[in-house]
Amino acid sequence: MAEPLLSVRSLEVRFRLDGRSMRAVDDVSFDLQKGQTLGIVGESGCGKSVTSLSIMRLLPSPPAQVAAGEVLLEGRDLLKLSEREMRKLRGGRIGMIFQEPMTSLNPVYTCGDQIIEGLRVHSGLSGKAARDRAIELLELVRLPSPEKRIDDYPHQLSGGQRQRVMIALALANDPAVLIADEPTTALDVTIQSQILDLMRDLQERTGTAIMLITHDLGVVAETCQQVVVMYAGSVIERGPVDKIFADPQHPYTIGLMAAVPRMDAGRARLASIPGSLPPPWQNIPGCRFASRCPLADNRCQAEMPRLREVTPGHDVACWKAPIEGAG
Amino acid sequence: MADLLEIQGLTKHFPVRRGVLRRQIGTVQAVTDVSFTLKRDETLAIVGESGCGKSTLGRAILRLLEPSAGTIRLGGEDVTSLDRRALRAARKRMQIIFQDPYGSLNPRMTVREALSEPLLLHGMATPATIRGEVDRLITMCGLSAWHAERYPHEFSGGQRQRVGIARALATRPSLIVCDEPVSALDVSVQAQIVNLLQDLQRELGLAYVFISHDLGVVRHIANRVAVMYLGRIVEEAQTDQLYGNPRHPYTRALLAAAPRADPATARHKPPIEGGTPSAMALPSGCAFHPRCPLAIERCRTERPEIRAVDRNRVACHRADEPVTGTLDQAPGQGSPALLRRLAILERRRAAG
């Protein structure tokens, strides 16, 4: 396989709070290929947002501290760059979209001003050229009547329209990677489907690689080619989307998929995963899912399973996989 | 069996005032002319997107918001005309669960104190029996008796919702309005709460009005579904009928837009255009016509009344016409490998 565009290797992030040091992200590794969409999926507290924020170097330090690992973008380790170099990359080679565009857009500037600012800083465009390019971008994200909307303030737009402006802003300087952290979670389902449709379409046209952080397996199934499943700070399973859904290996992945209420299933009882996440400060030598896993034995309690390949390209971190037969 | 809840022509409009004289400059038509019935043991889901009026409807049913018009009958009694005193007594029989119970739990009260209050107030327990009664409620909702001595902030989201449910159950209501009760929860916890609500319904014969934007959850919990758009019910049917044979174009758009957790059936159909218009300036005729792929001239001028088509009640001029481009119904419950492994896990779990 070609050299990945973005490669996260053995990333470990710790938080120091109240004199306690806790591991929020532990030994996380994955690759994002050019032109691909990679989904990072998991529930609250799994470390997916901490992972994406540390890639962008947006975690406040202290309390956060990247304790180990590398984040290679086109061969360069982002963790070693100066803040100045990093600022050049954000909004340039790395585009970002967040869940609530209202908090990421500046309320006192028009949408156009914010896009033009990005173009000026990163691409050196100014004046009419910048304004024309901004209108072109708003057209690209299918904002209705962009030549008028460009002078609107964020509060004059609906949630879906604001997210379109965020995407235009993120794509302004032809980024190599777009990091989207729960980009549709705050939107209504018909608007969500419009935004996902737009992201797919833009990817086909621009070839931007997308890292999509989400809690929603439905969104993953509809947009991603590769999936990374996280639990309690670790990657517990990863692989191509078809394989993860057709052949889930980790007991947590299996439980998570079975817990999703399906529209085609009738009034059946939902499968749930009993128990809850272990507290992050608890030092667990073994598998973090062991306390909720019906298959866990002494080895699972004592020894942390590493990712290993079960079928080509499909890795799982579980001593018991593949779970078959009498189990 | 007689209906437990009968809603007839329920309407809630909010005046919009501006300026020093507080002149009324418009009206938000949050809920207009909504009618339905609900039996004991039954769950009616109210679905729709933000701003469709579903939460206002839920609050108007309990008279937490004073309806502008219409009648609400609970167990044959007209709730709409009750005075404050009589209403307080009636509230015993109708309760509400919110999306985030944190906002409705007093942070300075332990769960035992929070649950004791309604029990004593409504005479459901005496100081002598209160301890046992709280323990009973809290264990019924899947918590342990020792949880009662804790404060709301000490609970996780799922546990907090269990406390919210316990408090709603304290007065032994016959009706519970559930307003997005699982929307803020992680999917594995959401499943626990949905199952709990179903168990409680079976044990206690509760009726639920289940307000939600999540069509997957609704499919699992509801007997009947009413779809709202801009303040009105546009379609209502038995759950299987609504999902299998939706007649309103908006219902079809909603079902098509919901992401499916299955890459094999994930379709990339173009979504419907545009967003919901403001409830202050409703479109003429059918409120959905600006976004509707089937809209004709009549839809722009004449508002469709709700009527029976097949086994659905639909407000659409074109509801009788055959549907083109049927929804793909994904088969089954997920991949064979998923089901096989899930069965192994569940067997092991059951064996302890």
Side-chain angles (χ1 to χ4, degrees):
Chain A
M1 204 177 265
E3 187 71 8
L5 185 71
L6 178 78
S7 182
V8 174
R9 298 194 186 158
S10 309
L11 184 70
E12 180 181 332
V13 183
R14 296 182 149 273
F15 282 83
R16 191 172 289 280
L17 283 175
D18 306 330
R20 279 194 286 204
S21 174
M22 50 183 143
R23 210 161 26 188
V25 163
D26 184 22
D27 195 18
V28 164
S29 302
F30 55 83
D31 289 338
L32 174 59
Q33 302 290 339
K34 234 178 139 164
Q36 238 182 20
T37 301
L38 168 82
I40 306 220
V41 65
E43 299 183 291
S44 336
C46 74
K48 57 189 190 301
S49 286
V50 170
T51 302
S52 83
L53 290 170
S54 23
I55 292 172
M56 298 182 277
R57 298 250 316 258
L58 286 174
L59 280 177
S61 175
Q65 183 213 347
V66 176
E70 291 179 318
V71 176
L72 302 173
L73 175 69
E74 298 170 316
R76 271 206 297 179
D77 188 353
L78 301 185
L79 300 180
K80 294 209 171 75
L81 297 183
S82 69
E83 182 48 40
R84 201 193 147 98
E85 289 170 301
M86 200 56 217
R87 215 175 301 144
K88 254 167 81 181
L89 279 179
R90 291 189 212 113
R93 297 299 285 162
I94 310 179
M96 299 171 286
I97 320 174
F98 297 99
Q99 175 170 342
E100 186 28 78
M102 200 58 205
T103 54
S104 340
L105 289 170
N106 191 331
V108 301
Y109 291 102
T110 65
C111 299
D113 286 342
Q114 300 184 52
I115 299 174
I116 290 166
E117 162 84 4
L119 291 168
R120 191 180 56 75
V121 171
H122 293 283
S123 303
L125 287 180
S126 61
K128 183 154 180 345
R131 191 177 164 87
D132 287 348
R133 172 76 179 136
I135 292 176
E136 202 182 294
L137 283 161
L138 292 177
E139 228 161 62
L140 186 74
V141 296
R142 296 187 222 138
L143 191 73
S145 40
E147 59 294 332
K148 272 192 239 133
R149 292 304 199 158
I150 189 169
D151 297 317
D152 277 359
Y153 289 89
H155 75 267
Q156 293 172 290
L157 305 175
S158 70
Q161 289 170 335
R162 281 200 286 266
Q163 201 55 290
R164 285 174 197 270
V165 171
M166 264 314 284
I167 296 174
L169 198 57
L171 293 177
N173 299 293
D174 298 315
V177 185
L178 182 65
I179 298 182
D181 193 346
E182 303 272 7
T184 58
T185 303
L187 303 176
D188 274 326
V189 47
T190 58
I191 309 300
Q192 161 169 285
S193 115
Q194 291 169 5
I195 297 291
L196 293 178
D197 189 58
L198 173 70
M199 286 174 55
R200 271 192 300 265
D201 182 50
L202 290 175
Q203 182 173 46
E204 269 170 40
R205 283 207 265 166
T206 60
T208 309
I210 300 178
M211 185 176 136
L212 180 76
I213 290 101
T214 181
H215 70 283
D216 189 331
L217 283 168
V219 170
V220 169
E222 298 211 341
T223 44
C224 300
Q225 288 99 46
Q226 292 285 322
V227 189
V228 170
V229 186
M230 289 187 70
Y231 181 79
S234 299
V235 174
I236 51 115
E237 187 159 1
R238 69 179 177 207
V241 71
D242 304 340
K243 282 196 184 166
I244 298 280
F245 279 86
D247 189 25
Q249 295 280 347
H250 197 284
Y252 175 68
T253 315
I254 294 165
L256 193 63
M257 283 183 181
V260 177
R262 296 173 62 107
M263 293 201 306
D264 49 25
R267 223 171 165 252
R269 207 178 162 73
L270 286 169
S272 64
I273 308 175
S276 51
L277 271 179
W281 54 83
Q282 197 178 319
N283 212 346
I284 299 169
C287 171
R288 299 223 171 103
F289 188 62
S291 62
R292 300 172 77 182
C293 181
L295 303 181
D297 59 14
N298 290 340
R299 186 186 192 186
C300 302
Q301 306 283 0
E303 220 180 313
M304 169 95 142
R306 300 277 153 199
L307 281 170
R308 64 193 162 89
E309 198 165 65
V310 275
T311 59
H314 185 176
D315 307 323
V316 62
C318 174
W319 296 119
K320 297 292 179 182
I323 303 163
E324 299 296 354
Chain B
M1 191 165 49
D3 293 321
L4 175 75
L5 178 71
E6 288 169 71
I7 304 288
Q8 195 51 251
L10 193 66
T11 300
K12 176 68 192 175
H13 291 176
F14 296 95
V16 180
R17 299 176 194 281
R18 192 162 287 168
V20 275
L21 298 175
R22 311 303 292 153
R23 268 195 318 149
Q24 185 171 344
I25 55 157
T27 307
V28 172
Q29 304 183 22
V31 174
T32 306
D33 196 14
V34 165
S35 303
F36 62 81
T37 60
L38 183 64
K39 290 184 172 54
R40 258 175 63 94
D41 275 320
E42 196 184 24
T43 302
L44 171 74
I46 311 278
V47 303
E49 298 182 286
S50 16
C52 75
K54 54 190 191 300
S55 287
T56 304
L57 174 62
R59 282 163 175 72
I61 291 171
L62 301 184
R63 276 187 68 194
L64 294 172
L65 286 171
E66 224 30 78
S68 313
T71 55
I72 304 154
R73 299 179 76 83
L74 182 70
E77 182 186 25
D78 187 348
V79 178
T80 4
S81 58
L82 297 179
D83 61 21
R84 287 176 71 97
R85 245 184 106 103
L87 182 62
R88 199 174 310 142
R91 287 258 165 78
K92 237 164 84 168
R93 292 180 285 130
M94 44 186 201
Q95 287 289 329
I96 185 163
I97 306 170
F98 297 102
Q99 175 171 344
D100 181 9
Y102 202 56
S104 52
L105 289 170
N106 187 335
R108 293 172 198 280
M109 278 191 190
T110 63
V111 165
R112 182 172 301 284
E113 289 162 344
L115 290 177
S116 299
E117 210 173 50
L119 286 170
L120 294 171
L121 194 72
H122 286 291
M124 309 299 292
T126 63
T129 60
I130 188 77
R131 193 164 183 90
E133 186 61 11
V134 170
D135 290 351
R136 187 187 69 83
L137 272 173
I138 201 147
T139 47
M140 190 159 72
C141 293
L143 296 168
S144 310
W146 55 267
H147 281 118
E149 318 313 331
R150 299 200 162 187
Y151 290 90
H153 73 266
E154 296 179 79
F155 291 95
S156 68
Q159 290 174 325
R160 214 139 62 200
Q161 196 52 285
R162 290 178 192 271
V163 174
I165 294 170
R167 202 184 52 168
L169 290 176
T171 60
R172 308 198 179 197
S174 45
L175 168 73
I176 298 184
V177 172
C178 310
D179 190 357
E180 301 271 13
V182 297
S183 303
L185 303 176
D186 273 321
V187 60
S188 65
V189 181
Q190 167 180 293
Q192 298 171 8
I193 300 295
V194 167
N195 289 339
L196 173 66
L197 286 171
Q198 284 180 315
D199 292 344
L200 291 170
Q201 179 169 54
R202 217 174 9 251
E203 280 166 44
L204 307 172
L206 297 166
Y208 292 139
V209 172
F210 192 89
I211 297 163
S212 177
H213 69 283
D214 186 324
L215 291 157
V217 170
V218 163
R219 176 104 212 215
H220 278 270
I221 201 161
N223 306 101
R224 263 187 307 138
V225 184
V227 181
M228 282 185 80
Y229 188 74
L230 282 171
R232 288 178 188 269
I233 292 180
V234 295
E235 180 160 13
E236 188 206 322
Q238 296 291 323
T239 307
D240 288 340
Q241 176 71 4
L242 189 105
Y243 283 77
N245 187 16
R247 304 304 311 184
H248 198 286
Y250 179 63
T251 311
R252 285 204 289 274
L254 269 186
L255 290 173
R260 270 146 234 243
D262 189 349
T265 59
R267 338 91 304 136
H268 297 173
K269 258 195 286 181
I272 57 161
E273 308 260 317
T276 315
S278 156
M280 255 183 88
L282 294 184
S284 64
C286 170
F288 186 59
H289 87 253
R291 301 174 76 188
C292 183
L294 304 179
I296 49 174
E297 192 46 42
R298 187 179 174 204
C299 306
R300 276 178 265 278
T301 53
E302 188 190 331
R303 189 172 55 72
E305 291 295 332
I306 198 155
R307 66 201 165 101
V309 177
D310 280 352
R311 287 178 289 140
N312 309 23
R313 289 205 305 145
V314 201
C316 173
H317 292 310
R318 304 193 61 183
D320 323 78
E321 297 174 25
V323 180
T324 51
T326 51
L327 284 171
D328 356 346
Q329 286 288 320
Q333 266 279 14
S335 77
L338 169 64
L339 295 179
R340 201 171 61 237
R341 290 181 185 140
L342 183 67
I344 294 170
L345 292 177
E346 305 243 290
R347 259 202 316 278
R348 285 294 290 263
R349 196 164 274 142

